Amino acid sequence: MDITKYLLIAAILSVPAFLKAQPLRGKKEPLTTNASFTDHGPASPYSTTRGNVAAVDGNGRNVVLSWLFDVRGGYALLMVDAATGKSEVFPMPFNPGGDCPFSSIFSSKGRFYTLFNGNFVEFDPVRRAFTFHHKTAPQMAMGMTEDDKGRIWAVTYPNSGVICYDPATADFTDYGYVHKENWAQYQRYLAVDDQGWVYFALGNTNSQLIAFNPASRQVNQLLQPGERKRGTAYLYRNKNGKVYGQALADKDGTWYELYNGAAIPIGTGHQPNEKPMITGSQALRHMLFPDGTKITQLDLIEKVLTTEDTRSGKKNTVNFDYPSEGSWVMGVGTSPDRRSLIGGGSFPMRQFNYTVSEDKWSTRAALGQYNALTTSGKNVFFGSYPSGDLIMWDTKKSFKTQSANPKEDNPRVLLKCSPVIHRPHRVLVHSDGKTVILGGTPQYGYTGGGLLFYDIATDKHVLLTDEDVEKDQSTMSLANIAGGKVLGGTTVTPGTGGEQKARLALLYIIDPVSKKVEWKEPLIPGVRSYTDLTTRKDGKVYGIADRRIFFLFDPAIKKIIYQKDMYKDYGYAVGEQSPRVFINGKQDDLYILFEHAITRVDHKTAEIRLVSKTPQAIRAGGSFLNDRLYFICGSHLFSYGL
């Protein structure tokens, strides 16, 4: 899933201290699927929450409701008794399909709603059950609200679908898509006026306020072209029955009064008087029970819930439990000392370490979503989402965070690159051993990402924009080539929710000293992304394009000298946001990971030979250690013995 705002910042209320590594708990039973494959277990065996509310069950007891999210998607609703910690898990009444809640609402009647993977659901804590479920047009709600009649409304990504559910009658209406753009629309704010008009604010490429009349199905675009801005518009329902909005949320910006389907500019200085409503994004946290007790901690790592009586100040801490398949894992690499496999899990954001000789796992909080990683000497470098961080971890030093001097932290953020780079796709240590290069796609709503050159010896850096490399494209893959140059491969994919403008990805050669692109060309017709690159000993470069086209590029003559579409034979190569498709083995051995096959390259012929089919689909690559190839299947670390 590539939409997360995931966007996704860790969505738990309390994260254990970064210094405190968490050993995996519970019985660990590696599954040997055949003589060569071994399942080493989940790399990050936790779920995260996609929205929490304090509720009351049918017996008048305080309970916490939490949408659970793991590698499968939003798989269940967790209910925890605030006094005892007794927990129940209610599986979603549909297949989450990897999708999860991005918005939810706790209604005035005390019921919890969400919509994702084209399915709307109602959960009633009084009846301790899902009490309504209905299919919708794809895909997930980004905004939800309740109108004056108690009806539940939602507007969905990516094409502004609108739905309405009436709990009193169980009537459900799917109005379909009501607004079209040539980019994926995020609609974070939704409201209904006292005349029944529905309004939503959208972004990110170009903000807009939309009015929708459910009776006539009339749609009004309320912002004129000159009033629209990059980012997401904002609106809210006022207690006076009207809706108020802005082209962008800005305390000094122009306000519009939205009523009866029209927008009237009212200047600046408007003082919001919002109608109370318990709704929000995946970060929804309604922590106050009706009796005045509040939730002060909900920790899905330690599985601890703490509540406090606001009158007496008395606290109550309980333990709870829940099942999990483990979180989404971005990829795996080998530690500099060649003893461990390392990487990052996402939602929650965790850094993991698997010591092979001891068959031992540990995890700790990470500095974001570790999309990309590489190693050099004693250091590991991560490219981290969501702010395009370049992170350095000195594995020979102890972990240290929140130092008085951030440069003393370990790991530490070397530079934040957003909005130029927001979602890293590749990090490369240059052949000079001191320059680290980071590439990726830009901030939400932007098109064309940059390229960072960072000197770890001097802490000096240069951050190029897409204008310096290739306009409206981003760097997806990187490899060192002869003469100290670097070969890059681009993607035409924009930042999340951005507008795709380029049609054809290309290869380019850049000089890390001058920071100038010396050559670029879209060599393979129709290619939208150069998935991965790796350099062999003779200086030629192997590549994968669009996860299916294998090629051999000669930098000396700037030509592709071999090319073959491998989809018919092996399907797609592994993906993820920083695909680790190529794995270097012993000596000259080079392996390629496909979703359902492990292959090896014949350097003499450039043919790809099957090593083994895989018992489970490989989702992320990939590293080599002690005669085994390591990769991710689902949330689990697998290995294949060579």
Side-chain angles (χ1 to χ4, degrees):
M1 138 198 305
D2 189 33
I3 56 168
T4 35
K5 195 173 186 170
Y6 293 153
L7 313 168
L8 290 182
I9 299 184
I12 54 177
L13 287 176
S14 175
V15 177
F18 188 82
L19 293 174
K20 184 179 179 183
Q22 303 292 316
L24 300 198
R25 295 182 291 276
K27 187 176 180 181
K28 178 176 173 296
E29 299 180 0
L31 170 65
T32 301
T33 52
N34 63 32
S36 298
F37 288 94
T38 300
D39 179 356
H40 301 276
S44 182
Y46 312 107
S47 298
T48 194
T49 176
R50 302 289 291 187
N52 299 320
V53 296
V56 178
D57 71 5
N59 297 315
R61 299 184 65 83
N62 288 343
V63 293
V64 181
L65 306 180
S66 179
W67 301 116
L68 291 177
F69 171 49
D70 69 6
V71 70
R72 296 166 290 182
Y75 64 98
L77 180 108
L78 170 68
M79 175 187 281
V80 181
D81 188 299
T84 67
K86 181 181 178 181
S87 60
E88 294 181 70
V89 173
F90 302 87
M92 300 303 294
F94 60 90
N95 184 344
D99 201 0
C100 61
F102 280 76
S103 182
S104 53
I105 184 169
F106 189 56
S107 75
S108 59
K109 300 296 185 183
R111 298 169 190 169
F112 204 20
Y113 299 88
T114 192
L115 189 170
F116 65 94
N117 196 29
N119 286 266
F120 174 86
V121 291
E122 173 189 72
F123 183 85
D124 187 348
V126 172
R127 296 172 61 181
R128 309 180 84 85
F130 284 103
T131 47
F132 185 81
H133 165 228
H134 202 288
K135 290 285 293 180
T136 74
Q139 182 177 347
M140 83 282 282
M142 282 286 168
M144 302 187 77
T145 194
E146 182 176 358
D147 68 16
D148 293 344
K149 296 179 180 180
R151 296 177 299 184
I152 305 301
W153 294 84
V155 58
T156 60
Y157 167 100
N159 297 312
S160 290
V162 174
I163 67 95
C164 178
Y165 170 64
D166 189 340
T169 62
D171 289 338
F172 184 90
T173 305
D174 188 340
Y175 293 94
Y177 304 134
V178 303
H179 179 71
K180 185 177 182 180
E181 299 282 359
N182 64 352
W183 37 268
Q185 303 166 52
Y186 284 75
Q187 316 86 357
R188 282 301 189 180
Y189 305 99
L190 174 69
V192 183
D193 69 18
D194 63 10
Q195 298 300 302
W197 278 80
V198 179
Y199 305 85
F200 58 90
L202 64 84
N204 289 289
T205 295
N206 205 4
S207 68
Q208 183 60 279
L209 298 171
I210 300 295
F212 173 68
N213 186 329
S216 65
R217 305 206 176 193
Q218 177 181 342
V219 179
N220 297 338
Q221 299 177 26
L222 302 180
L223 293 180
Q224 298 303 310
E227 297 172 307
R228 302 179 71 179
K229 303 177 185 296
R230 187 196 302 273
T232 299
Y234 169 76
L235 59 76
Y236 79 95
R237 163 64 189 267
N238 196 287
K239 288 182 178 179
N240 66 9
K242 298 179 180 180
V243 175
Y244 293 85
Q246 293 181 296
L248 292 179
D250 181 358
K251 64 182 180 64
D252 299 320
T254 298
W255 283 91
Y256 298 85
E257 181 183 273
L258 314 179
Y259 195 62
N260 209 23
I264 300 174
I266 58 173
T268 61
H270 169 72
Q271 298 299 313
N273 187 18
E274 191 165 355
K275 179 184 178 181
M277 199 169 301
I278 303 170
T279 187
S281 70
Q282 66 271 15
L284 174 65
R285 303 291 181 269
H286 173 59
M287 314 309 286
L288 187 65
F289 294 100
D291 66 3
T293 304
K294 67 178 181 180
I295 302 166
T296 60
Q297 180 188 37
L298 179 64
D299 187 338
L300 268 64
I301 304 295
E302 296 286 2
K303 301 178 181 177
V304 171
L305 168 66
T306 300
T307 56
E308 179 183 343
D309 187 319
T310 55
R311 294 159 297 186
S312 67
K314 184 179 179 180
K315 292 187 177 181
N316 181 54
T317 297
V318 296
N319 295 102
F320 63 90
D321 202 3
Y322 65 90
S324 177
E325 287 293 320
S327 63
W328 181 25
V329 180
M330 308 306 296
V332 61
T334 305
S335 64
D337 63 8
R338 307 289 299 172
R339 296 182 62 244
S340 303
L341 280 303
I342 55 175
S346 181
F347 308 109
M349 311 306 190
R350 306 291 293 177
Q351 179 177 333
F352 61 80
N353 186 88
Y354 174 65
T355 306
V356 175
S357 61
E358 301 174 17
D359 188 27
K360 182 180 179 181
W361 285 95
S362 66
T363 75
R364 63 183 71 241
L367 300 176
Q369 178 176 291
Y370 290 168
N371 275 15
L373 71 92
T374 193
T375 60
S376 175
K378 63 180 180 178
N379 293 319
V380 178
F381 297 94
F382 296 108
S384 179
Y385 168 90
S387 51
D389 295 352
L390 176 62
I391 296 170
M392 181 172 70
W393 172 34
D394 186 338
T395 57
K396 295 187 180 298
K397 295 181 179 179
S398 60
F399 280 84
K400 186 177 182 181
T401 61
Q402 299 179 336
S403 306
N405 181 0
K407 289 188 176 182
E408 295 178 358
D409 284 349
N410 186 43
R412 71 181 176 100
V413 176
L414 299 178
L415 190 70
K416 293 182 178 293
C417 300
S418 189
V420 178
I421 302 172
H422 191 73
R423 193 182 297 276
H425 290 292
R426 191 68 50 176
V427 59
L428 174 75
V429 176
H430 185 251
S431 54
D432 66 11
K434 65 175 185 176
T435 304
V436 183
I437 308 171
L438 180 74
T441 46
Q443 170 66 284
Y444 285 74
Y446 285 70
T447 303
L451 195 65
L452 171 69
F453 294 85
Y454 195 99
D455 188 325
I456 60 173
T458 65
D459 280 332
K460 293 181 179 179
H461 70 273
V462 174
L463 180 57
L464 304 180
T465 70
D466 63 315
E467 299 275 0
D468 301 311
V469 182
E470 176 65 14
K471 184 174 173 56
D472 297 329
Q473 300 199 33
S474 303
T475 297
M476 184 72 191
S477 52
L478 292 165
N480 289 308
I481 57 176
K485 312 295 184 181
V486 170
L487 178 69
T490 69
T491 178
V492 300
T493 302
T496 308
E499 180 183 5
Q500 181 187 318
K501 298 178 180 178
R503 299 298 172 191
L504 192 59
L506 52 80
L507 293 173
Y508 68 86
I509 295 175
I510 191 167
D511 181 354
V513 177
S514 68
K515 314 295 189 294
K516 300 295 184 184
V517 174
E518 299 182 339
W519 168 88
K520 57 186 175 183
E521 190 173 338
L523 291 177
I524 306 178
V527 164
R528 295 163 54 86
S529 183
Y530 285 90
T531 310
D532 203 359
L533 300 168
T534 189
T535 306
R536 70 182 191 182
K537 286 187 176 180
D538 66 0
K540 296 181 178 66
V541 178
Y542 290 116
I544 294 284
D546 285 346
R547 298 179 58 200
R548 61 185 294 165
I549 301 173
F550 174 70
F551 64 90
L552 180 60
F553 174 75
D554 188 341
I557 60 174
K558 301 178 179 60
K559 300 290 184 183
I560 289 177
I561 57 178
Y562 180 86
Q563 175 182 326
K564 184 177 180 180
D565 190 330
M566 305 306 302
Y567 182 79
K568 183 178 179 180
D569 294 331
Y570 301 116
Y572 285 115
V574 295
E576 263 316 333
Q577 295 182 41
S578 180
R580 299 173 65 87
V581 177
F582 295 105
I583 301 180
N584 291 300
K586 281 186 175 180
Q587 299 176 342
D588 292 339
D589 288 347
L590 179 65
Y591 300 90
I592 301 178
L593 298 181
F594 291 86
E595 287 183 335
H596 299 283
I598 297 171
T599 65
R600 181 166 49 213
V601 179
D602 184 329
H603 294 301
K604 292 182 179 179
T605 63
E607 289 290 326
I608 296 177
R609 313 292 186 190
L610 178 67
V611 174
S612 177
K613 294 287 187 179
T614 60
Q616 294 188 31
I618 303 176
R619 210 196 73 250
S623 196
F624 173 83
L625 182 62
N626 299 339
D627 295 323
R628 299 191 75 84
L629 299 175
Y630 289 85
F631 44 86
I632 299 296
C633 295
S635 62
H636 288 224
L637 176 68
F638 270 68
S639 67
Y640 176 79
L642 297 168

